[in-house]
Amino acid sequence: MPSPFPGMDPFLEEPHRWLLFRHQFVTGLYQVLLPGLVDRYRARVCSRGFTLELPLFTSVQRDPHSEEHIELRDRSDGQLVTLIDVVSIVNRTTATGREAYLETRQLAEAQGAALVEIDLLTQGTGMLDYPRENLPEFDYAVTVTRPGTPGRYEIYTATLQKRLPKFRVPLAPDDRDTALELQDVFRRAYDLGGFGASIDYNSDLPPEVKFSNANHQWIDSWLTQQKRR
């Protein structure tokens, strides 16, 4: 069963559910990217590991944590060409998670790689602090940064009510971009994770989701319409 939402599904933002969804989403990104890459490039799923420290009564619980991301490298010399990362909940809500994410970004920048950062979350603090005054209202974003243009971003946005965007993934400067339809990746991840059978859409949204009252009202109305079909 597909998600009842036209784009991102906010019910996936529940922390334990998100861990599975993010894994499936990164896997889906990898699978969708491969057919569009010429032999010059190789894609691989990599992982960063770190330890989260969580308060537990009078002590601290230390939990190992890992997050996958995608690297596109030149086959001839192994040079990192593009980093594709998906923001996680702990990146936006914990100092350790944020530091680990930013370190991955900084290492890629130091190697002259392009960055593609996909943020499908509402809770916590976003990973990029670009000005919003000239941007439309949005809930989710893909941010692309090309080598040699620090502080300049290509921003592809979506609201809760709309499909996730199609965007261009940069490759080497002398090669054309490859297009990626993010909604196709979402559908693949949602189906592979079996979320249609595990989410109760009659229940309340996860409390972690941070939406305006207008979005909450839209969700109630939208889900009511879907039940009537």
Side-chain angles (χ1 to χ4, degrees), residues 67-154:
E67 295 174 344
E68 297 161 314
H69 55 275
I70 296 173
E71 292 181 352
L72 304 183
R73 291 185 176 269
D74 192 306
R75 285 186 182 274
S76 63
D77 58 9
Q79 176 68 30
L80 180 62
V81 175
T82 308
L83 168 71
I84 303 174
D85 214 339
V86 180
V87 179
S88 77
I89 290 175
V90 298
N91 299 151
R92 290 185 59 135
T93 61
T94 71
T96 303
R98 190 176 192 86
E99 181 180 350
Y101 180 97
L102 292 176
E103 182 179 359
T104 302
R105 180 202 290 173
Q106 291 160 2
L107 288 172
E109 288 176 326
Q111 296 177 67
L115 306 176
V116 175
E117 302 176 81
I118 301 170
D119 194 345
L120 303 178
L121 294 165
T122 64
Q123 59 189 285
T125 304
M127 304 307 298
L128 280 170
D129 297 323
Y130 41 69
R132 289 196 175 204
E133 54 262 23
N134 295 320
L135 294 174
E137 289 295 320
F138 64 90
D139 301 304
Y140 310 109
V142 177
T143 306
V144 175
T145 311
R146 296 176 184 269
T149 59
R152 296 184 62 185
Y153 313 111
E154 298 169 20

Coordinates of all heavy atoms in Angstrom, one line a residue, residues 67-154:
E67 N 25.5 6.0 10.4 CA 24.7 6.6 9.4 C 25.3 6.4 8.0 O 26.5 6.7 7.9 CB 24.5 8.1 9.7 CG 23.8 8.4 10.9 CD 23.7 9.9 11.3 OE1 24.5 10.7 10.7 OE2 22.9 10.3 12.1
E68 N 24.5 6.0 7.1 CA 25.0 5.8 5.7 C 24.9 7.0 4.9 O 24.0 7.8 5.1 CB 24.2 4.6 5.1 CG 24.4 3.3 5.8 CD 23.3 2.3 5.5 OE1 22.1 2.7 5.5 OE2 23.6 1.1 5.2
H69 N 25.8 7.2 4.0 CA 25.7 8.2 3.0 C 26.3 7.7 1.7 O 26.9 6.6 1.7 CB 26.5 9.5 3.4 CG 27.9 9.3 3.8 ND1 28.3 8.9 5.1 CD2 29.0 9.4 3.1 CE1 29.6 8.7 5.1 NE2 30.1 9.0 3.9
I70 N 26.2 8.4 0.6 CA 26.7 7.9 -0.7 C 27.8 8.8 -1.2 O 27.8 10.0 -1.2 CB 25.5 7.9 -1.7 CG1 24.4 6.9 -1.3 CG2 26.0 7.6 -3.1 CD1 23.2 7.0 -2.1
E71 N 28.8 8.1 -1.7 CA 29.9 8.8 -2.4 C 30.0 8.4 -3.8 O 29.9 7.2 -4.2 CB 31.3 8.4 -1.7 CG 31.4 8.9 -0.3 CD 32.8 8.5 0.3 OE1 33.5 7.7 -0.3 OE2 33.1 9.0 1.4
L72 N 30.2 9.4 -4.7 CA 30.4 9.2 -6.1 C 31.9 9.5 -6.3 O 32.3 10.6 -6.1 CB 29.5 10.0 -7.0 CG 28.0 9.9 -6.8 CD1 27.3 10.8 -7.8 CD2 27.5 8.5 -6.9
R73 N 32.6 8.5 -6.9 CA 34.1 8.7 -7.1 C 34.4 8.5 -8.5 O 33.8 7.7 -9.2 CB 34.9 7.8 -6.1 CG 34.8 8.2 -4.7 CD 35.6 7.3 -3.8 NE 35.6 7.8 -2.4 CZ 36.4 8.7 -1.9 NH1 37.4 9.2 -2.6 NH2 36.3 9.0 -0.6
D74 N 35.5 9.1 -8.9 CA 36.1 8.9 -10.3 C 36.8 7.5 -10.3 O 37.6 7.3 -9.4 CB 37.0 10.0 -10.6 CG 37.4 10.0 -12.1 OD1 37.9 9.0 -12.6 OD2 37.3 11.1 -12.7
R75 N 36.5 6.7 -11.2 CA 37.1 5.4 -11.3 C 38.6 5.4 -11.5 O 39.3 4.5 -11.0 CB 36.4 4.5 -12.3 CG 35.0 4.0 -12.0 CD 34.5 3.1 -13.1 NE 33.2 2.6 -12.8 CZ 32.9 1.6 -12.1 NH1 33.9 0.8 -11.5 NH2 31.6 1.2 -11.8
S76 N 39.0 6.4 -12.2 CA 40.4 6.4 -12.6 C 41.4 6.7 -11.5 O 42.5 6.1 -11.4 CB 40.6 7.4 -13.7 OG 40.4 8.7 -13.3
D77 N 41.0 7.6 -10.6 CA 41.9 8.0 -9.5 C 41.3 7.9 -8.1 O 42.0 8.2 -7.1 CB 42.5 9.4 -9.7 CG 41.4 10.4 -9.9 OD1 40.2 10.1 -9.6 OD2 41.7 11.6 -10.2
G78 N 40.0 7.5 -8.0 CA 39.4 7.4 -6.7 C 39.0 8.7 -6.1 O 38.5 8.8 -5.0
Q79 N 39.1 9.8 -6.8 CA 38.8 11.1 -6.3 C 37.3 11.2 -6.0 O 36.4 10.8 -6.8 CB 39.2 12.2 -7.3 CG 38.8 13.6 -7.0 CD 39.6 14.2 -5.8 OE1 40.7 13.8 -5.6 NE2 39.0 15.1 -5.0
L80 N 37.0 11.8 -4.8 CA 35.6 12.0 -4.4 C 35.0 13.1 -5.3 O 35.6 14.2 -5.3 CB 35.5 12.4 -3.0 CG 34.1 12.6 -2.4 CD1 33.2 11.4 -2.5 CD2 34.1 13.1 -1.0
V81 N 34.0 12.8 -6.0 CA 33.3 13.8 -6.9 C 32.1 14.4 -6.2 O 31.9 15.7 -6.3 CB 32.9 13.1 -8.2 CG1 32.2 14.1 -9.1 CG2 34.2 12.6 -8.9
T82 N 31.3 13.6 -5.6 CA 30.0 14.1 -5.0 C 29.7 13.3 -3.8 O 29.8 12.1 -3.8 CB 28.9 14.0 -6.0 OG1 29.2 14.6 -7.3 CG2 27.6 14.6 -5.5
L83 N 29.3 14.0 -2.7 CA 28.8 13.4 -1.5 C 27.3 13.6 -1.5 O 26.8 14.8 -1.7 CB 29.4 14.1 -0.3 CG 28.8 13.7 1.1 CD1 29.1 12.3 1.5 CD2 29.3 14.7 2.2
I84 N 26.6 12.6 -1.2 CA 25.1 12.7 -1.1 C 24.8 12.2 0.3 O 25.0 11.1 0.7 CB 24.4 11.8 -2.1 CG1 24.8 12.2 -3.6 CG2 22.8 12.0 -2.0 CD1 24.2 11.3 -4.6
D85 N 24.2 13.1 1.1 CA 23.9 12.8 2.5 C 22.4 13.1 2.8 O 21.8 14.0 2.2 CB 24.8 13.6 3.4 CG 25.2 12.9 4.7 OD1 24.5 11.9 5.0 OD2 26.2 13.3 5.3
V86 N 21.9 12.3 3.7 CA 20.5 12.5 4.2 C 20.5 12.8 5.6 O 21.0 12.1 6.5 CB 19.7 11.2 3.9 CG1 18.2 11.4 4.4 CG2 19.7 10.8 2.4
V87 N 20.0 14.0 6.0 CA 20.0 14.5 7.4 C 19.2 13.5 8.2 O 18.1 13.1 7.9 CB 19.5 15.9 7.5 CG1 19.4 16.4 8.9 CG2 20.3 16.8 6.6
S88 N 19.8 13.2 9.4 CA 19.1 12.3 10.3 C 18.6 13.1 11.5 O 18.9 14.2 11.7 CB 20.0 11.2 10.8 OG 20.9 11.7 11.8
I89 N 17.7 12.4 12.3 CA 17.2 13.1 13.5 C 18.3 13.5 14.4 O 18.3 14.6 14.9 CB 16.1 12.2 14.2 CG1 14.9 12.0 13.3 CG2 15.8 12.7 15.6 CD1 13.9 11.0 13.8
V90 N 19.2 12.6 14.7 CA 20.3 13.0 15.7 C 21.2 14.1 15.1 O 21.8 14.8 15.9 CB 21.1 11.7 16.1 CG1 20.2 10.7 16.8 CG2 21.9 11.1 15.0
N91 N 21.3 14.2 13.8 CA 22.1 15.3 13.3 C 21.4 16.7 13.6 O 22.1 17.7 13.9 CB 22.1 15.3 11.7 CG 22.8 14.0 11.2 OD1 22.5 13.6 10.1 ND2 23.7 13.4 12.0
R92 N 20.1 16.7 13.7 CA 19.4 17.9 13.9 C 19.1 18.2 15.4 O 18.7 19.3 15.8 CB 18.0 17.9 13.2 CG 18.2 18.0 11.7 CD 16.9 18.2 10.9 NE 16.1 19.3 11.4 CZ 15.5 20.1 10.6 NH1 15.5 20.0 9.2 NH2 14.8 21.2 11.0
T93 N 19.2 17.1 16.2 CA 18.8 17.2 17.6 C 19.9 17.0 18.7 O 19.6 17.2 19.9 CB 17.6 16.3 17.9 OG1 18.0 14.9 17.7 CG2 16.4 16.6 17.0
T94 N 21.0 16.5 18.3 CA 22.1 16.3 19.3 C 23.4 16.9 18.8 O 23.7 17.0 17.6 CB 22.4 14.8 19.5 OG1 23.0 14.2 18.3 CG2 21.1 14.1 19.8
A95 N 24.2 17.4 19.7 CA 25.5 18.0 19.4 C 26.4 17.0 18.7 O 27.1 17.4 17.8 CB 26.1 18.6 20.6
T96 N 26.5 15.8 19.2 CA 27.4 14.8 18.7 C 27.0 14.4 17.3 O 27.8 14.3 16.4 CB 27.4 13.5 19.6 OG1 27.7 13.9 20.9 CG2 28.4 12.5 19.1
G97 N 25.7 14.2 17.1 CA 25.2 13.9 15.7 C 25.4 15.0 14.7 O 25.8 14.8 13.6
R98 N 25.2 16.2 15.2 CA 25.5 17.4 14.3 C 27.0 17.5 13.9 O 27.3 17.7 12.8 CB 25.0 18.7 15.0 CG 25.0 19.9 14.1 CD 24.4 21.1 14.8 NE 24.2 22.2 13.9 CZ 23.0 22.3 13.2 NH1 22.1 21.4 13.4 NH2 22.9 23.3 12.4
E99 N 27.8 17.3 14.9 CA 29.3 17.4 14.7 C 29.7 16.3 13.7 O 30.5 16.6 12.8 CB 30.0 17.2 16.0 CG 31.5 17.3 15.9 CD 32.2 17.2 17.2 OE1 31.5 17.2 18.3 OE2 33.4 17.0 17.2
A100 N 29.2 15.1 13.8 CA 29.6 14.0 12.9 C 29.1 14.3 11.5 O 29.9 14.1 10.5 CB 28.9 12.7 13.4
Y101 N 27.9 14.8 11.3 CA 27.4 15.2 10.0 C 28.3 16.3 9.4 O 28.7 16.2 8.2 CB 26.0 15.7 10.1 CG 25.4 16.1 8.8 CD1 24.6 15.2 8.1 CD2 25.6 17.3 8.2 CE1 24.0 15.5 6.8 CE2 25.0 17.7 7.0 CZ 24.2 16.8 6.3 OH 23.7 17.2 5.1
L102 N 28.6 17.3 10.2 CA 29.4 18.5 9.6 C 30.8 18.0 9.3 O 31.4 18.5 8.3 CB 29.4 19.6 10.7 CG 28.0 20.3 10.9 CD1 28.1 21.3 12.0 CD2 27.5 20.9 9.6
E103 N 31.3 17.1 10.1 CA 32.7 16.6 9.8 C 32.7 15.9 8.4 O 33.6 16.1 7.6 CB 33.2 15.7 10.9 CG 34.6 15.2 10.6 CD 35.1 14.2 11.7 OE1 34.3 14.0 12.7 OE2 36.2 13.7 11.6
T104 N 31.7 15.1 8.1 CA 31.6 14.4 6.8 C 31.5 15.5 5.7 O 32.2 15.4 4.7 CB 30.3 13.5 6.8 OG1 30.4 12.6 7.8 CG2 30.2 12.8 5.4
R105 N 30.7 16.5 5.9 CA 30.6 17.6 4.9 C 31.9 18.3 4.7 O 32.4 18.5 3.6 CB 29.6 18.6 5.4 CG 29.4 19.8 4.4 CD 28.8 21.0 5.0 NE 27.4 20.8 5.4 CZ 26.7 21.7 6.1 NH1 27.3 22.8 6.5 NH2 25.4 21.5 6.4
Q106 N 32.6 18.6 5.8 CA 33.9 19.4 5.7 C 35.0 18.6 5.0 O 35.8 19.1 4.2 CB 34.3 19.8 7.1 CG 33.4 20.9 7.7 CD 33.5 20.9 9.2 OE1 34.3 20.2 9.9 NE2 32.7 21.8 9.8
L107 N 35.0 17.2 5.3 CA 36.0 16.4 4.6 C 35.7 16.4 3.1 O 36.7 16.4 2.3 CB 35.9 15.0 5.2 CG 36.5 14.8 6.6 CD1 36.2 13.4 7.1 CD2 38.0 15.1 6.6
A108 N 34.5 16.3 2.7 CA 34.1 16.3 1.3 C 34.5 17.6 0.6 O 35.0 17.7 -0.5 CB 32.6 16.0 1.1
E109 N 34.2 18.7 1.3 CA 34.6 20.1 0.8 C 36.1 20.2 0.6 O 36.5 20.8 -0.4 CB 34.0 21.2 1.8 CG 32.5 21.3 1.7 CD 32.0 22.4 2.8 OE1 32.7 22.4 3.8 OE2 31.1 23.1 2.5
A110 N 36.8 19.7 1.6 CA 38.3 19.8 1.5 C 38.8 19.0 0.3 O 39.9 19.3 -0.2 CB 38.9 19.2 2.8
Q111 N 38.1 18.0 -0.1 CA 38.5 17.2 -1.3 C 38.0 17.8 -2.6 O 38.2 17.2 -3.7 CB 38.1 15.8 -1.2 CG 38.7 15.1 0.0 CD 38.2 13.7 0.2 OE1 38.4 12.8 -0.7 NE2 37.5 13.4 1.3
G112 N 37.3 19.0 -2.5 CA 36.8 19.6 -3.7 C 35.6 18.9 -4.3 O 35.3 19.0 -5.5
A113 N 34.8 18.2 -3.5 CA 33.6 17.5 -4.0 C 32.4 18.4 -3.9 O 32.3 19.3 -3.2 CB 33.4 16.3 -3.1
A114 N 31.4 18.0 -4.8 CA 30.1 18.6 -4.7 C 29.3 18.0 -3.6 O 29.6 16.9 -3.2 CB 29.4 18.4 -6.0
L115 N 28.4 18.7 -3.0 CA 27.6 18.3 -1.9 C 26.1 18.2 -2.3 O 25.6 19.2 -2.9 CB 27.7 19.2 -0.7 CG 29.1 19.4 -0.2 CD1 29.1 20.4 1.0 CD2 29.8 18.1 0.2
V116 N 25.4 17.1 -2.0 CA 24.0 17.1 -2.1 C 23.4 16.7 -0.7 O 23.7 15.6 -0.2 CB 23.5 16.0 -3.1 CG1 22.0 15.9 -3.1 CG2 24.0 16.4 -4.5
E117 N 22.7 17.6 -0.1 CA 22.2 17.3 1.3 C 20.6 17.3 1.2 O 20.0 18.3 0.8 CB 22.7 18.4 2.2 CG 24.2 18.4 2.2 CD 24.8 19.5 3.0 OE1 24.9 19.3 4.3 OE2 25.2 20.6 2.5
I118 N 20.1 16.2 1.7 CA 18.6 16.0 1.6 C 18.1 16.0 3.0 O 18.4 15.2 3.9 CB 18.3 14.6 0.9 CG1 18.9 14.6 -0.5 CG2 16.8 14.4 0.9 CD1 18.9 13.2 -1.1
D119 N 17.1 16.9 3.3 CA 16.6 17.1 4.6 C 15.1 16.9 4.5 O 14.3 17.8 4.0 CB 16.9 18.5 5.1 CG 16.6 18.7 6.6 OD1 15.9 17.8 7.2 OD2 17.1 19.6 7.2
L120 N 14.6 15.8 5.1 CA 13.2 15.5 5.1 C 12.6 15.5 6.5 O 11.6 14.8 6.8 CB 13.0 14.1 4.4 CG 13.5 14.0 3.0 CD1 13.3 12.6 2.5 CD2 12.9 15.0 2.1
L121 N 13.1 16.3 7.4 CA 12.7 16.4 8.8 C 12.2 17.7 9.2 O 12.6 18.7 8.5 CB 13.9 16.0 9.7 CG 14.4 14.5 9.5 CD1 15.8 14.4 10.2 CD2 13.4 13.6 10.2
T122 N 11.4 17.8 10.2 CA 10.9 19.0 10.7 C 11.4 19.4 12.1 O 11.5 20.5 12.5 CB 9.4 19.0 10.8 OG1 8.9 18.0 11.8 CG2 8.7 18.7 9.5
Q123 N 11.8 18.3 12.9 CA 12.3 18.6 14.3 C 13.7 19.0 14.3 O 14.5 18.8 13.4 CB 12.1 17.3 15.1 CG 12.9 16.1 14.5 CD 12.5 14.8 15.2 OE1 12.9 14.6 16.3 NE2 11.8 13.9 14.5
G124 N 14.1 19.7 15.4 CA 15.4 20.1 15.6 C 15.8 21.3 14.8 O 14.9 22.1 14.3
T125 N 17.1 21.5 14.5 CA 17.6 22.6 13.8 C 18.3 22.1 12.5 O 19.0 21.2 12.5 CB 18.7 23.3 14.6 OG1 18.1 23.7 15.9 CG2 19.2 24.5 13.9
G126 N 17.9 22.8 11.4 CA 18.4 22.4 10.1 C 20.0 22.5 10.0 O 20.6 23.2 10.8
M127 N 20.6 21.8 9.1 CA 22.0 21.8 9.0 C 22.6 22.9 8.2 O 23.8 23.2 8.2 CB 22.4 20.4 8.3 CG 21.9 19.2 9.1 SD 22.3 19.2 10.8 CE 24.1 19.2 10.8
L128 N 21.8 23.7 7.4 CA 22.3 24.8 6.6 C 21.5 26.1 7.0 O 20.3 26.0 7.1 CB 22.2 24.5 5.1 CG 23.2 23.6 4.5 CD1 22.8 23.3 3.1 CD2 24.6 24.4 4.5
D129 N 22.2 27.1 7.3 CA 21.6 28.4 7.7 C 21.6 29.4 6.6 O 22.1 30.5 6.7 CB 22.3 28.9 8.9 CG 22.2 28.0 10.1 OD1 21.2 27.4 10.3 OD2 23.2 27.9 10.9
Y130 N 21.0 29.0 5.4 CA 20.9 30.0 4.3 C 19.7 30.9 4.6 O 18.8 30.6 5.2 CB 20.8 29.3 3.0 CG 19.9 28.1 3.0 CD1 18.6 28.2 3.1 CD2 20.5 26.8 2.8 CE1 17.7 27.1 3.1 CE2 19.7 25.7 2.8 CZ 18.3 25.8 2.9 OH 17.5 24.7 2.9
P131 N 19.8 32.1 4.0 CA 18.7 33.1 4.2 C 17.5 32.6 3.5 O 17.5 32.1 2.3 CB 19.2 34.4 3.6 CG 20.3 34.0 2.7 CD 20.9 32.7 3.3
R132 N 16.3 32.8 4.1 CA 15.0 32.3 3.5 C 14.2 33.4 2.9 O 13.1 33.2 2.3 CB 14.2 31.6 4.5 CG 14.8 30.3 5.0 CD 13.7 29.5 5.7 NE 14.2 28.1 6.0 CZ 13.3 27.1 6.2 NH1 12.0 27.3 6.1 NH2 13.8 25.9 6.5
E133 N 14.6 34.7 2.9 CA 13.7 35.8 2.6 C 13.3 35.7 1.1 O 12.2 36.2 0.7 CB 14.4 37.1 2.9 CG 15.7 37.4 2.3 CD 16.8 37.1 3.3 OE1 16.6 36.3 4.3 OE2 17.9 37.6 3.2
N134 N 14.1 35.2 0.2 CA 13.8 35.1 -1.2 C 13.3 33.7 -1.6 O 13.1 33.5 -2.8 CB 15.0 35.5 -2.0 CG 15.4 37.0 -1.8 OD1 14.5 37.8 -1.7 ND2 16.7 37.2 -1.8
L135 N 13.0 32.9 -0.6 CA 12.6 31.5 -0.9 C 11.1 31.4 -0.6 O 10.6 32.1 0.3 CB 13.4 30.5 -0.1 CG 14.8 30.4 -0.4 CD1 15.5 29.4 0.6 CD2 15.1 29.9 -1.8
P136 N 10.4 30.5 -1.3 CA 9.0 30.3 -0.9 C 8.9 29.5 0.4 O 10.0 28.9 0.8 CB 8.5 29.4 -2.1 CG 9.7 28.7 -2.6 CD 10.8 29.7 -2.5
E137 N 7.8 29.4 1.0 CA 7.6 28.6 2.2 C 7.9 27.1 1.8 O 7.4 26.7 0.8 CB 6.2 28.8 2.8 CG 6.0 30.2 3.5 CD 6.9 30.4 4.7 OE1 7.1 29.4 5.5 OE2 7.4 31.5 4.9
F138 N 8.6 26.4 2.7 CA 8.8 25.0 2.4 C 9.0 24.2 3.7 O 9.3 24.8 4.7 CB 10.0 24.8 1.5 CG 11.4 25.2 2.1 CD1 12.1 24.3 2.8 CD2 11.8 26.5 1.9 CE1 13.3 24.7 3.3 CE2 13.1 26.9 2.4 CZ 13.8 26.0 3.1
D139 N 8.8 22.9 3.6 CA 8.9 22.0 4.7 C 10.2 21.1 4.6 O 10.8 20.7 5.6 CB 7.7 21.1 4.9 CG 6.4 22.0 5.1 OD1 6.4 22.8 6.1 OD2 5.5 21.8 4.4
Y140 N 10.5 20.8 3.3 CA 11.6 19.9 3.0 C 12.5 20.5 2.0 O 12.0 21.3 1.1 CB 11.1 18.5 2.6 CG 10.0 18.0 3.5 CD1 8.7 17.9 3.1 CD2 10.3 17.5 4.8 CE1 7.7 17.4 4.0 CE2 9.4 17.1 5.7 CZ 8.1 17.0 5.3 OH 7.1 16.5 6.1
A141 N 13.8 20.1 2.0 CA 14.7 20.7 1.0 C 15.8 19.8 0.6 O 16.3 19.0 1.4 CB 15.2 22.0 1.6
V142 N 16.2 20.0 -0.6 CA 17.5 19.4 -1.1 C 18.4 20.6 -1.4 O 18.0 21.5 -2.1 CB 17.3 18.6 -2.4 CG1 18.6 18.1 -2.9 CG2 16.3 17.4 -2.1
T143 N 19.6 20.6 -0.9 CA 20.6 21.6 -1.1 C 21.8 21.1 -1.8 O 22.4 20.1 -1.4 CB 21.0 22.3 0.3 OG1 19.9 22.7 1.0 CG2 21.9 23.5 0.0
V144 N 22.1 21.7 -2.9 CA 23.3 21.3 -3.7 C 24.3 22.4 -3.7 O 24.0 23.6 -3.9 CB 22.9 21.1 -5.2 CG1 24.1 20.8 -6.1 CG2 21.9 19.9 -5.3
T145 N 25.6 22.0 -3.3 CA 26.7 23.0 -3.3 C 27.8 22.5 -4.3 O 28.2 21.3 -4.2 CB 27.3 23.1 -1.9 OG1 26.3 23.3 -1.0 CG2 28.3 24.2 -1.9
R146 N 28.2 23.3 -5.2 CA 29.2 22.9 -6.2 C 30.6 23.4 -5.8 O 30.7 24.4 -5.1 CB 28.8 23.5 -7.6 CG 27.5 22.9 -8.1 CD 27.1 23.5 -9.4 NE 25.8 23.0 -9.8 CZ 25.6 22.0 -10.6 NH1 26.6 21.3 -11.1 NH2 24.3 21.6 -10.9
P147 N 31.6 22.7 -6.2 CA 33.0 23.1 -5.8 C 33.3 24.5 -6.3 O 32.9 24.9 -7.4 CB 33.8 22.0 -6.5 CG 32.9 20.9 -6.8 CD 31.6 21.5 -7.0
G148 N 34.0 25.2 -5.5 CA 34.4 26.6 -5.8 C 33.4 27.6 -5.6 O 33.6 28.8 -6.0
T149 N 32.2 27.3 -5.1 CA 31.2 28.3 -4.8 C 30.7 28.2 -3.4 O 29.5 28.0 -3.1 CB 30.0 28.0 -5.8 OG1 29.4 26.7 -5.5 CG2 30.4 28.2 -7.2
P150 N 31.6 28.4 -2.4 CA 31.2 28.4 -1.0 C 30.2 29.5 -0.7 O 30.3 30.6 -1.2 CB 32.5 28.6 -0.3 CG 33.4 29.3 -1.2 CD 33.0 28.8 -2.6
G151 N 29.2 29.1 0.1 CA 28.1 30.0 0.4 C 27.1 30.2 -0.6 O 26.1 31.0 -0.4
R152 N 27.2 29.5 -1.8 CA 26.1 29.6 -2.8 C 25.5 28.2 -3.0 O 26.2 27.2 -3.1 CB 26.8 30.0 -4.2 CG 27.3 31.4 -4.1 CD 27.8 31.8 -5.5 NE 26.7 31.8 -6.5 CZ 26.9 32.1 -7.8 NH1 28.1 32.3 -8.3 NH2 25.9 32.1 -8.6
Y153 N 24.2 28.2 -2.9 CA 23.5 26.9 -2.9 C 22.4 26.9 -4.0 O 21.8 27.9 -4.4 CB 22.8 26.7 -1.6 CG 23.6 27.0 -0.3 CD1 23.3 28.1 0.5 CD2 24.6 26.2 0.0 CE1 24.1 28.4 1.6 CE2 25.4 26.4 1.1 CZ 25.1 27.5 1.9 OH 25.9 27.8 3.0
E154 N 22.2 25.7 -4.5 CA 21.0 25.4 -5.3 C 20.0 24.7 -4.4 O 20.3 23.7 -3.8 CB 21.3 24.5 -6.5 CG 22.3 25.1 -7.5 CD 22.8 24.1 -8.5 OE1 22.1 23.0 -8.7 OE2 23.9 24.3 -9.1

